[in-house]
Amino acid sequence: MNAINLSVMARAEALSASPHKPESVNPLVHAGPAQTGPALSELVCIERWNETVDVVSFRFQAGEPMKFDYKPGQFMTFVLEINGEQVCRSYTLSSSPSRPYSLMVTIKRVAGGLVSNYLIDHLQLGQRVRVLPPMGQFNLVDIPAQKYLFLSAGCGITPMYSMSRYLTDTQIDADIAFVHSARSDADIIFKSSLETMANRFNAFKLSYALESAAASLLFSPKISFDIGRLTAQMLQTLVPDVAERTVYLCGPEPYMQAVKALLAELNFDMNRLHHESFATAEKVARNQLMQAKSSEIDENPQAEAFTLPIFNLAIGDRSTKLTQGQSLLEGIESEGLPIIAACRSGVCGACKCQVLEGETVSTSVMTLSAAEIDAGFVLACSTTLTSDVTLKL
């Protein structure tokens, strides 16, 4: 494969003359007409290892020397074929752009998880995967701070690890407080690397909240820990200056809701709370509403005409009918038109398209710039019709 076609993000710095073959470069900004969606690329798996018994990290490179350019905390979407069907899933990059020659994702095995189990069971060294460029607004560039507080649980540690590596690589004495929640010390992802960071950087304050631990458990003197789930009192003890920090939060939805509650208990300024979530309450509620309407129509076919307005969606020479509440993505897929929908929750930005005529309502505009929104770009998975619409893919 000629990796010069890798549109994943490589922005090379000016290279000084050297006797060896120059590195391939691939600018993030392309010349020519603007593209309405990201392009697929191929990466090669060069390494894999277990972080814990059920968590595996994979490292990837391009087919030839390539510097990858992305923001610490962003995610990358895999486009796979499993059992003859195309499946897309997004995983946060656990690597840091300060170490630009490879990309790393860290994946937890999930009971019944189609993609996570497939990758852990089948992806081996030398095999290639198709990916979309890194995306996501939950990152250090778009959310700057002076004093950082990283709060994570489970695999929610991956963006925090990327951010920590980036800050300790690129800044002198970056003020970081990092509190990670885990079931036990055996379940701490990146345990050894985090301990190294804590020992090397005085301004990197690492703490753990463990649900259970052996009486003989010992950490480095520079690492604090407490037993039990994170509480307001525990957080105040581990991070006395919590009120002065910008909080970055990632983890399972119940954990994030609990953290928001304890921060409110501490009268924390919620304007300084930023979180990564692939399953927001708004999205769940919207899906439940759509399921309820679908059930109502299934039970009484005549109900559709009375309860749900019908709009026309035109795409080129194709058109289809959508009821109020159905997404643009449903209409596009029903016509068999090509579109990549990775997260299907308004986060990754892969399903960006342009409304030429008509009115829509969107529940997410993540990854869209102000200029794109003004030009009519929307995310198909998070947009519904309120009138007849003409769409451009």
Side-chain angles (χ1 to χ4, degrees):
M1 180 193 72
N2 183 0
I4 197 69
N5 293 323
L6 195 76
S7 64
V8 184
M9 9 85 216
R11 175 171 45 112
E13 303 166 351
L15 300 175
S16 58
S18 61
H20 58 72
K21 180 183 176 181
E23 298 163 295
S24 293
V25 299
N26 191 347
L28 185 62
V29 180
H30 298 274
Q35 299 181 4
T36 59
L40 280 169
S41 309
E42 276 194 346
L43 297 176
V44 181
C45 178
I46 62 166
E47 194 177 3
R48 59 171 287 167
W49 65 93
N50 275 77
E51 301 285 355
T52 69
V53 293
D54 58 357
V55 176
V56 178
S57 285
F58 297 89
R59 189 178 301 281
F60 302 92
Q61 286 184 336
E64 59 184 71
M66 181 78 68
K67 285 186 176 182
F68 299 105
D69 184 18
Y70 56 99
K71 301 172 185 178
Q74 289 189 310
F75 57 85
M76 183 170 68
T77 299
F78 288 74
V79 182
L80 308 168
E81 185 171 305
I82 302 176
N83 299 326
E85 294 187 6
Q86 180 175 283
V87 182
C88 302
R89 288 293 185 276
S90 300
Y91 295 98
T92 300
L93 287 162
S94 45
S95 52
S96 166
S98 55
R99 306 180 183 199
Y101 289 96
S102 64
L103 298 172
M104 185 173 86
V105 296
T106 301
I107 300 173
K108 178 180 174 64
R109 184 183 293 278
V110 178
L114 176 64
V115 177
S116 60
N117 291 336
Y118 177 85
L119 289 171
I120 290 175
D121 291 338
H122 297 286
L123 183 56
Q124 301 298 326
L125 306 190
Q127 293 181 338
R128 298 174 183 269
V129 293
R130 294 190 302 162
V131 299
L132 288 169
M135 299 180 182
Q137 294 180 326
F138 183 73
N139 63 76
L140 289 180
V141 176
D142 295 320
I143 310 172
Q146 295 298 318
K147 300 178 70 173
Y148 304 87
L149 173 53
F150 298 148
L151 298 177
S152 62
C155 267
I157 197 173
T158 51
M160 311 308 180
Y161 182 71
S162 174
M163 294 176 183
S164 297
R165 291 291 291 267
Y166 181 81
L167 289 171
T168 53
D169 279 349
T170 62
Q171 293 188 21
I172 298 175
D173 293 332
D175 193 339
I176 306 167
F178 192 149
V179 181
H180 179 65
S181 296
R183 288 172 298 182
S184 70
D185 66 302
D187 297 298
I188 299 174
I189 304 170
F190 311 128
K191 181 180 176 182
S192 177
S193 297
L194 287 171
E195 183 169 353
T196 299
M197 276 191 269
N199 288 331
R200 289 183 58 194
F201 302 100
N202 291 329
F204 182 79
K205 307 298 183 184
L206 178 62
S207 304
Y208 295 120
L210 304 176
E211 293 184 23
S212 63
S216 58
L217 177 63
L218 291 175
F219 286 108
S220 160
K222 290 191 174 183
I223 300 175
S224 303
F225 75 96
D226 208 335
I227 306 301
R229 295 192 174 184
L230 188 65
T231 64
Q233 181 179 355
M234 186 188 300
L235 181 60
Q236 188 75 73
T237 300
L238 294 173
V239 189
D241 61 350
V242 57
E244 302 171 14
R245 295 182 177 273
T246 299
V247 174
Y248 301 74
L249 172 65
C250 189
E253 196 69 24
Y255 164 80
M256 294 202 295
Q257 293 301 324
V259 169
K260 291 176 185 177
L262 70 85
L263 288 174
E265 184 181 340
L266 293 172
N267 296 315
F268 183 79
D269 178 3
M270 293 301 190
N271 291 320
R272 298 212 313 279
L273 168 63
H274 307 275
H275 62 89
E276 176 76 292
S277 174
F278 289 89
T280 63
E282 180 180 41
K283 179 65 178 178
V284 173
R286 179 169 170 267
N287 285 341
Q288 289 174 334
L289 177 62
M290 292 177 63
Q291 290 169 4
K293 288 181 176 179
S294 297
S295 298
E296 180 183 351
I297 293 169
D298 290 341
E299 294 172 1
N300 179 15
Q302 298 301 317
E304 180 173 4
F306 295 101
T307 61
L308 298 177
I310 299 176
F311 303 113
N312 185 70
L313 174 62
I315 311 169
D317 59 355
R318 303 281 193 91
S319 66
T320 187
K321 301 295 184 183
L322 291 179
T323 58
Q324 188 176 47
Q326 286 187 289
S327 68
L328 287 177
L329 180 60
E330 291 177 81
I332 295 167
E333 291 181 332
S334 72
E335 288 298 305
L337 294 170
I339 188 169
I340 294 174
C343 70
R344 309 182 81 89
S345 59
V347 175
C348 76
C351 61
K352 180 173 68 175
C353 50
Q354 188 177 21
V355 175
L356 300 179
E357 294 181 0
E359 301 295 327
T360 61
V361 174
S362 297
T363 59
S364 173
V365 292
M366 290 182 66
T367 75
L368 297 178
S369 67
E372 287 175 324
I373 294 171
D374 289 342
F377 286 96
V378 297
L379 302 181
C381 69
S382 306
T383 301
T384 56
L385 282 64
T386 57
S387 74
D388 292 344
V389 163
T390 301
L391 192 70
K392 179 182 178 181
L393 296 181

